[in-house]
Amino acid sequence: MSLAHRNDADRRRQEAKRARGRTFVAITFVPVVLALALVATLFADVITDTVSWQIVEPAYTTESWSFTEGFAFFSTWENVVEKELVARGEDPAVVLDDPEERRKFRLRNRVELLWQLDGAPLRYVVTSSRDDTVADYGFFEGLRQLDAIRAEAGEGQEVRLNPWLDAAFLTKNASRTPVMAGLGNALIGTLWVIGLVIVFSLPIGVGAAIYLEEYAPDNAVTRFIELNIRNLAGVPSVVYGILGLYAFVRVFEFGPTVLSAALTLSLLILPVVIIAAREAIKAVPPSLRQASYGLGATKWQTVSQVVLPNAITGITTGMILAVARAIGETAPLLLVGAAAFIPRAPEGPLSTYTVVPIQIYSWVAENDVEFAHVASAGILVLLAVLLVLYGAAFYLRRRFERSW
Amino acid sequence: MSQTVPEDHVTVRSDPVDANDAVVAIEDLSLWYGDFQALRDVSLTVPKNQVTALIGASGCGKSTLLRSVNRMNDLVPGVTVQGKIHYEGADLYDPVVDPVEVRRRIGMVFQKPNPFPKSVYENVAFGPRLHGFKGDMDAHVETSLKRAALWEEVQDKLQQSGLGLSGGQQQRLCIARAMATEPDVILMDEPTSALDPIATDRIEELIHEIKQDFTVIIVTHNMQQAGRVSDRTAFMHLGVLIEEGPTERIFTNPQHEMTERYISGRFG
């Protein structure tokens, strides 16, 4: 039979078929474009929100120093504060050498990299909690009305472009004053919680996966367990919060501590870890197991020396994705008692704590418009952490994927 | 085509193996996968330091028979076995026998080369390590690779991945790995079906050489190969051992009509 169209009617039918195909592709393409546009908008919004124009009336008439003048490895703070105090005509040794004075100064002042319109871009400035923010303009609004804003700034006031997200933001602690607020304790809290989550969920999750995949008999009980694990992966996280509140905070009396939070989040991600680990174990080719058994290996030798080493990449990838989920969880931790404001960083599993998403949540709930910038800076940090984790998972998958 | 085998078929045996030469003696072995009977009363004596080839059409049970000898079939769910396999005075299917120990003494090489994704060295050392080998591992690895005629090619890349070798080299690595646990018998399940003719040649040469130290049972689809490498040949059909005897006799003067038809390529 010839491949050419036999007649015109035949050709029209062919073309109509192709047109239908193109329409279908176009319809499926629309949501993809929409989704990409939304993600781009979200990022643009969050990023521009972390920068604002401010008219500030400094409590002290401050000097500023260029990046090369101010920056020093591990001691930028000391370096800039010393220059500032000299400029104020004070003796820097009084503040810097006395631990108590130093602590007080640190609570009230912050070394920031700011864009002062009068000076060069990005100069170090010592800001104070007593600095008075006269007005705050969003990034684009400020750009549009820059001249008006400059005219508005009166005597003793200056216009600054404040990038809320800078190095100091990562170390400063929660504060009632927006410029003094940072993620410090929340980051340490997240590290503690997530560290413990990994300690709890990795061995339990991988152990359960090994049992279900390699040892469990194929019977009704096993199938019931498998079904439940799949269902648990879809349970809303706030339900785990209620469970955690009852079990860990009340019954085990761990209270609103890092330990309760870590246990709750471990329960939350365990189904995901188990499913990912099982998939990774299942992906180890049977030929390798056979090779191992053929050499006289026992079941456990085969699992520990052949199956696990070859599943470890998949398990790690799954674990990273699960941890990324745990890092962003807010609802269950609100229930098990993460604090919005804690004066000091957690020191152990039984400390009170806060975590990054809770901290962001509390900033968003503040009235002060400046806290919106702080919240945006926090969101950006959270997104960056998640991006790094997803990137690591992607890299692992690409780098170590093997074809047998 | 597939031709049914009569219920009362008696295996045709020419020049039977002397019981004193036997390493493995299969006696009335029947095997079921669930309800499906894959082997029917197979009896076969395998002589020491010789190569025994199992031939037959796909699905005739030759691989199943091979895997029964080192109890690899135990790993398949739903397998039932009846009959005996005598090895060193014991029945391999006696409940007191540990299948793990059986597999150490009766090694296996698979259809597709399956080196571990580890270095060449670690592949060979894997078995000895499992069994608590004490001694000079470097020397042991070297000896095993030399016996598999692979040493010359890999001595400079012992620490590189076994997966980086060519298909034929990988299969010889698998043979070296099997030999490293010092087995008495090596089972080979179509060891050259995934290899090119030159690599196949080298494996066949190797099989010739290693039979001085090991007893080899090989399953093959390739009749010429059976003719080239084996001392004795057993022809199976639909789970039944139709005929067995010295390879030359089977190929030049088969006694059973089915064997004759298979050998001459008229079915299978």
Side-chain angles (χ1 to χ4, degrees), chain A residues 287 290-291 293-296 310, chain B residues 67 75 100 103 114 117 131 177:
Chain A
S287 68
Q290 298 238 333
Y293 288 128
L295 290 166
N310 286 294
Chain B
R67 284 158 181 266
L75 303 170
V100 168
R103 292 182 204 125
N114 57 355
H131 307 296
R177 182 175 69 183

Side-chain angles (χ1 to χ4, degrees), chain B residues 100-121:
Chain B
V100 168
E101 182 60 16
V102 171
R103 292 182 204 125
R104 190 182 77 74
R105 308 283 292 276
I106 304 179
M108 186 152 195
V109 176
F110 297 83
Q111 190 168 354
K112 209 176 140 223
N114 57 355
F116 297 120
K118 302 172 180 236
S119 68
V120 170
Y121 184 98

